Amino acid sequence: MSTTVWFLTSNPGKLEEAQHHFQELGIEVKGLDLPEDTILEPQAGDLETVARSKLAQALAHLPHEGAMVMVEDAGLFVDALDGFPGVYSSYAFSTIGNHGILRLLSHLVDDDPVRIKNLRSASFEAVAALWDGENVLLGKGVCKGAIATKVQGEAGFGFDPIFIPADLDDSGEPVSPGVLGAVSTHGQTFGVVGPYTKHQFSHRRRALEDLLSQLPLLEPDE
Ligand code: ITT
């Protein structure tokens, strides 16, 4: 007997991270596979609108009556690029990729380790939307950090090899650049430290925690 959440995503890395997170809570996450182009991603200015739209479309394809279905939309927001790629992250990743983002920031260099983090500051953001069988719940998460000057590591997916998370204090809040936090990747990207360390910082984990905090006590599936 377990509670099951069906996660509609085309991204195996996102599925794995959600499975890891929910597993600790005794919830099984299964990928909901729908034929390509069943779900249209709207051109929208914010992640919440995209997530709500994907979830509304997914409700027409529930695997069974009463099923809990989740979608999640995430993006990388680079401050020096006015938030680009943001909601265009999928498109940017599949066209210019990590090297393209690095090229756009190549003029932002400094020998001072604090100044360079400020110049290249960025955040990952995620919005998770869950249909719990009765209502739509939304969870949001942010992970602050900076863009590395080169691709580092091969772990994870997407922009992980160019993203250095900000250190965290012992309550999990990001500390300012130059301050050593209680939790630190010591300047390494998510691509170097891998998914288990990423989990401690992750926008996805925060969005899922926010979502779960709104769920009434889960009844296990029969
Ligand atoms: P969906 O089917 O779930 O939409 P997707 O890969 O298109 O899968 P998103 O739209 O949420 O997912 O992500 C936009 C882009 O940002 C995409 O290229 C991802 O690889 C990248 N991305 C999202 N979350 C990330 C993370 O935690 N680490 C690195 N890159 C991430």
Side-chain angles (χ1 to χ4, degrees):
M1 276 206 324
S2 71
T3 300
T4 302
V5 170
W6 294 86
F7 187 9
L8 174 69
T9 178
S10 60
N11 184 324
K14 285 170 62 168
L15 178 62
E16 208 174 299
E17 287 185 12
Q19 282 170 330
H20 172 63
H21 181 66
F22 280 85
Q23 189 184 26
E24 292 170 359
L25 308 162
I27 301 170
E28 185 179 18
V29 178
K30 289 185 180 161
L32 177 60
D33 284 325
L34 296 179
E36 214 180 324
D37 297 334
T38 308
I39 305 291
L40 301 176
E41 196 158 317
Q43 288 294 311
D46 61 277
L47 299 177
E48 179 177 332
T49 306
V50 178
R52 282 186 184 277
S53 165
K54 286 201 289 192
L55 186 63
Q57 296 176 67
L59 295 188
H61 306 277
L62 291 182
H64 61 81
E65 203 182 324
M68 292 171 67
V69 177
M70 182 174 79
V71 301
E72 186 243 81
D73 210 53
L76 175 69
F77 294 76
V78 179
D79 295 326
L81 303 176
D82 288 332
F84 181 83
V87 288
Y88 306 109
S89 290
S90 274
Y91 183 69
F93 185 72
S94 60
T95 51
I96 62 172
N98 281 328
H99 288 283
I101 299 289
L102 294 182
R103 267 196 303 278
L104 292 174
L105 300 183
S106 57
H107 59 296
L108 298 176
V109 285
D110 198 297
D111 290 337
D112 182 89
V114 174
R115 273 204 304 262
I116 194 166
K117 279 191 180 152
N118 285 326
L119 283 173
R120 299 172 73 97
S121 64
S123 307
F124 270 128
E125 295 185 20
V127 176
L130 177 87
W131 172 252
D132 70 356
E134 289 178 10
N135 299 299
V136 174
L137 305 178
L138 274 195
K140 297 182 183 181
V142 175
C143 172
K144 288 188 177 297
I147 304 298
T149 50
K150 54 181 197 272
V151 171
Q152 291 172 1
E154 292 174 359
F157 64 94
F159 300 109
D160 281 343
I162 59 166
F163 187 82
I164 302 168
D167 286 10
L168 304 176
D169 64 19
D170 45 21
S171 55
E173 293 305 314
V175 299
S176 304
V179 177
L180 180 65
V183 185
S184 175
T185 68
H186 304 283
Q188 294 186 309
T189 65
F190 280 155
V192 172
V193 298
Y196 287 93
T197 300
K198 175 181 177 182
H199 190 67
Q200 296 178 275
F201 298 84
S202 164
H203 49 301
R204 181 155 299 105
R205 178 182 61 75
R206 290 169 192 267
L208 297 179
E209 262 169 15
D210 184 17
L211 194 77
L212 285 168
S213 71
Q214 302 163 47
L215 264 185
L217 259 188
L218 290 171
E219 297 289 339
D221 294 344
E222 290 307 314

